[in-house]
Amino acid sequence: MTPQTIPDLDDIKIFTGNAHPALAEKIAGQLGLSLAKSSVRSFADGEIEVKLGESVRGKDVYIVQSTSPDVNRNLMELLIMIDTARRASADRISAVIPYYGYARQDRKVAPRAPITAKLVANLITTAGADRVITVDLHAGQIQGFFDVPVDNLYAAQVLVDAFWQCRECSLDEIVVVSPDAGGVRRARYLAHLLGRHIGGEASLAIIDKRRSGPGKVAEVNLVGSVNGKTAIMVDDIVDSAGTMSVAADKLRDEGAVGVYACITHPILSPPAIQNLGKKCTIDPTIDRLDGLIVTDTVPLRPDAQECGKIKVASVSHLLAEAIANIHGRGSVSSLFPDVEAYN
């Protein structure tokens, strides 16, 4: 659905907080709109104040706000903006959260532990959101934490297209690697999309890792073969990049001639760039990664912007198409015709 075919385009209002205004501007531009005016600022003590600069009475409102660092502040901005739009009599409020923070806390992994992903879902719903639009949820079951519709969009095609433009190998020389057993479906889907360029599917491998603590890997094993091939690790989040660094070393050790990573959410908390920029521990003449392809669901940190190995692909058109279909009462699942075979 294009901007020309969206009914009542004037009824759409797109607002943004301070998390990622550049992405919000791209989304609005894809729809042929300008961002709606708003003010999101702080008092001296850090208390957040929100003012909408345009009427939203009877409008279809979309608030674009990733819960990227500073996670808690950006989440609070989102909640207040939703409440503001609700009290201003918006007809429908959709929270567009390209990166849904706290998603890694989706279950109890120990006694007396919270399920924070559910808590955040409750907060967003209570604030007044009628719908949530997000990209590559860390755990699909989080959709069930909400009592409102959730559209979980897939960034795989965006990542595949970006990789294909910078690749230096053919499809039969590629193996897609899942960093853990839980990511196999994501890896299979990406392998399928890679196959569209030539036909067939890329082969698969799985990293079997044992953790000694959060973000710390004690042991890594490889299921499958990467010898003589270019390995593409695929995951939804890269935070400190500790796991990715260990996995990249393992792939090199197992004979991979190239190692890339396709990641949706580049959180890249320190020391991620230092970890990824180091040489392979197996052969200090070789870089750990040949390239890191990410999307712009969160803005890159300054040190990541200076890293020459990172290629950013935008999900703005994906989010814009979803908004257009939702507003026009169309299908969102039609944007991903093959994904059901891999769920």
Side-chain angles (χ1 to χ4, degrees), residues 3 14 106 109 186 306 328:
I14 299 178
D106 63 306
V109 296
R186 183 183 292 111
E306 297 174 0

Side-chain angles (χ1 to χ4, degrees), residues 244-265:
M244 181 180 292
S245 298
V246 174
D249 285 343
K250 181 65 175 179
L251 294 172
R252 293 286 191 187
D253 187 35
E254 293 288 336
V257 296
V259 178
Y260 290 82
C262 290
I263 306 293
T264 305
H265 310 298

Side-chain angles (χ1 to χ4, degrees), residues 67 69 71 99-109 114-117 137-139 142 211 215 236-240 267 269:
T67 54
V71 178
Y99 169 61
Y100 183 83
Y102 286 107
R104 287 172 284 185
Q105 301 182 53
D106 63 306
R107 63 196 185 280
K108 291 190 69 171
V109 296
I115 305 179
T116 317
L137 274 173
H138 182 65
I142 293 174
R211 293 185 181 274
D236 60 327
I237 302 171
V238 57
D239 194 352
S240 65
I267 305 304
S269 304

Side-chain angles (χ1 to χ4, degrees), residues 155-284:
Q157 186 66 64
V158 175
L159 293 168
V160 163
D161 291 344
F163 169 78
W164 200 252
Q165 293 174 8
C166 69
R167 84 199 189 286
E168 298 178 353
C169 55
S170 61
L171 183 63
D172 59 358
E173 298 172 313
I174 293 174
V175 55
V176 178
V177 181
S178 173
D180 52 45
V184 171
R185 286 180 295 182
R186 183 183 292 111
R188 287 180 59 225
Y189 184 47
L190 190 133
H192 166 72
L193 294 177
L194 276 170
R196 285 181 173 180
H197 289 279
I198 294 179
E201 290 189 6
S203 57
L204 289 173
I206 304 170
I207 294 288
D208 176 35
K209 61 179 183 286
R210 182 172 60 84
R211 293 185 181 274
S212 58
K216 298 180 180 180
V217 179
E219 183 181 342
V220 174
N221 296 297
L222 179 68
V223 180
S225 175
V226 298
N227 187 39
K229 295 192 175 186
T230 295
I232 308 174
M233 290 186 286
V234 56
D235 209 348
D236 60 327
I237 302 171
V238 57
D239 194 352
S240 65
T243 298
M244 181 180 292
S245 298
V246 174
D249 285 343
K250 181 65 175 179
L251 294 172
R252 293 286 191 187
D253 187 35
E254 293 288 336
V257 296
V259 178
Y260 290 82
C262 290
I263 306 293
T264 305
H265 310 298
I267 305 304
L268 296 173
S269 304
I273 298 302
Q274 291 87 336
N275 285 336
L276 297 176
K278 291 179 180 178
K279 297 293 184 179
C280 178
T281 57
I282 307 303
D283 185 345

